[in-house]
Amino acid sequence: TYAQAYGKQEADHVALLTQAITQAGKTPVKEQATYIFPAFTDEKAVIGFLRVLEETGVAAYTGAARFIKDAGILATAGGIVQVEARHAAILRRQDGMPPVPSAVEKVLTPDQTLAAAKPILG
């Protein structure tokens, strides 16, 4: 149920970011034609994968914030990162982990984000 709801919200995030980037006169990155996802054996594996994906997303948004010069893009990203953090907290809880493990979230640089996403991006 969570994964289906989050999937819809993730699609909304793409649309919102695309709109904000376009309104700023910039060109959004194009979606890849295919992605490489692991074979899931059970629900726990899916939850663990989604948890890592959401945690990586939160850290990526946080790390990218300092590079965002356009106020409209920054506001959109700021609104999205809050939802991503909620996704991560719920998935952490579903995975038997504390939903909020620390007072500060980790930060990923763009290069670290790309390295983390490489297995899915191919």
Side-chain angles (χ1 to χ4, degrees), residues 46-106:
V46 173
I47 290 169
F49 175 78
L50 292 175
R51 177 186 54 75
V52 169
L53 201 62
E54 294 290 355
E55 290 172 342
T56 301
V58 171
Y61 273 98
T62 305
R66 67 184 179 147
F67 298 107
I68 301 173
K69 304 294 184 225
D70 182 88
I73 297 171
L74 185 59
T76 299
I80 290 170
V81 73
Q82 295 177 51
V83 175
E84 298 292 358
R86 291 180 187 124
H87 290 174
I90 290 170
L91 288 163
R92 287 182 61 80
R93 186 78 181 250
Q94 291 293 105
D95 211 12
M97 303 168 82
V100 184
S102 66
V104 178
E105 190 63 53
K106 74 177 181 178

Side-chain angles (χ1 to χ4, degrees), residues 2-81:
Y2 287 135
Q4 290 175 338
Y6 296 169
K8 167 75 171 86
Q9 291 172 356
E10 297 298 344
D12 291 346
H13 293 168
V14 170
L16 289 166
L17 279 172
T18 298
Q19 180 182 17
I21 292 167
T22 302
Q23 286 177 345
K26 306 295 181 185
T27 304
V29 175
K30 293 196 182 296
E31 182 178 359
Q32 284 194 190
T34 60
Y35 298 91
I36 303 165
F37 292 102
F40 299 111
T41 54
D42 56 26
E43 184 177 318
K44 181 154 179 61
V46 173
I47 290 169
F49 175 78
L50 292 175
R51 177 186 54 75
V52 169
L53 201 62
E54 294 290 355
E55 290 172 342
T56 301
V58 171
Y61 273 98
T62 305
R66 67 184 179 147
F67 298 107
I68 301 173
K69 304 294 184 225
D70 182 88
I73 297 171
L74 185 59
T76 299
I80 290 170
V81 73

